[in-house]
């Protein structure tokens, strides 16, 4: 068993170990305007209904767009889109029309008016089902009402933020530990 030598670590930096879920692009639409933001802070909250908690900073243009339209799409990009993903997260829809500026194609959703991003591996159409934590925590509780996922590859090369401008690109998948699971936890 590996033994680690440890040191005190600033609590404000621990996010770096917990953060690396895939970075996603949140697309929204309100009053004829569409927008995209980059998001790393999301949290799975329930299987069924399929609930996801998302932190959207109140200074972001997307904050009011998602709050007012009560819907958005969580798009999952792969490594090929990494440059756009960072650039989208470093400008605001107040100043930039992001679909055009980043050459991304909006596609009509089935259950929401917010556009899907065609170039992403997966698109999750979401409805805002609980606004009660927005004011205090900027936490949007979304229900995924429709999912569109590429047929292949089964394990896409998603990008995962490590903080400080560093990304991890998803790597090998193993079934080595699968037999240890209780079936209901699979
Ligand atoms: C890798 C990365 C991850 C980010 N994660 C979040 C996040 O979880 N929540 C958030 O509010 N902003 C996050 N941002 C910042 C927003 O994407 C950024 O403020 C964006 O410009 C907002 O665009 P908007 O004003 O058009 O909504 C992230 C940016 C990057 C580059």
């Amino acid at each position: 068993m590996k033994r680690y030598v440890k040191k005190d670590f600033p609590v404000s930096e621990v996010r770096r170990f917990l953060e690396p879920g895939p970075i996603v692009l949140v697309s929204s639409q309100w009053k004829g305007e569409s927008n995209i933001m980059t998001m790393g802070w999301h949290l799975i909250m329930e299987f069924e209904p399929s609930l996801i908690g998302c932190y959207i900073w109140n200074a972001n243009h997307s904050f009011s767009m998602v709050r007012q339209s009560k819907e958005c799409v969580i798009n999952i990009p792969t490594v090929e889109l990494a440059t756009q993903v960072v650039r989208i997260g470093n400008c605001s829809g107040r100043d930039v029309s992001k679909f055009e500026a980043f050459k991304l194609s909006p596609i009509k959703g089935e259950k929401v008016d917010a556009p899907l991003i065609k170039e992403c591996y997966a698109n999750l159409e979401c409805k805002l089902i609980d606004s009660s934590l927005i004011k205090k925590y900027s936490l949007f509780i979304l229900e995924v009402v429709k999912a569109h996922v590429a047929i292949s590859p089964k394990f896409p090369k998603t990008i995962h933020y490590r903080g400080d401008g560093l990304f991890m690109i998803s790597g090998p998948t193993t079934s080595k530990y699968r037999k240890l699971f209780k079936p209901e936890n699979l």
Side-chain angles (χ1 to χ4, degrees), residues 76-105:
I76 304 179
T78 48
V79 65
E80 296 79 9
L81 288 175
T83 302
Q84 285 105 308
V85 166
V86 176
R87 290 197 168 138
I88 286 167
N90 281 279
C91 65
S92 177
R94 283 187 202 92
D95 316 309
V96 180
S97 187
K98 298 198 197 180
F99 272 97
E100 283 111 74
F102 299 104
K103 298 189 170 33
L104 295 171
S105 320

Side-chain angles (χ1 to χ4, degrees), residues 23 35-41 55-57 60-62 85-86 88-94 98 161 167:
I23 289 292
N35 193 27
I36 315 174
M37 70 165 262
T38 302
M39 183 175 74
W41 292 6
Y55 172 85
I56 304 180
W57 184 31
N60 287 348
H61 194 41
S62 303
V85 166
V86 176
I88 286 167
N90 281 279
C91 65
S92 177
R94 283 187 202 92
K98 298 198 197 180
Y161 194 49
F167 284 99

Side-chain angles (χ1 to χ4, degrees), residues 19-34:
E19 222 165 12
I23 289 292
V24 300
L25 295 172
V26 176
S27 49
S28 52
Q29 177 163 291
W30 178 240
K31 293 196 168 163
E33 181 195 347
S34 57

Side-chain angles (χ1 to χ4, degrees), residues 133-174:
L133 297 173
I134 294 178
K135 197 164 174 225
K136 191 167 182 196
Y137 293 112
S138 289
L139 188 66
F140 290 64
I141 315 294
L142 305 171
E143 179 179 351
V144 183
V145 291
K146 177 82 193 174
H148 312 258
V149 178
I151 296 165
S152 77
K154 192 169 178 194
F155 302 110
K157 283 204 180 305
T158 47
I159 53 177
H160 304 252
Y161 194 49
R162 286 188 179 280
D164 203 25
L166 303 175
F167 284 99
M168 173 179 80
I169 298 162
S170 64
T173 298
T174 178

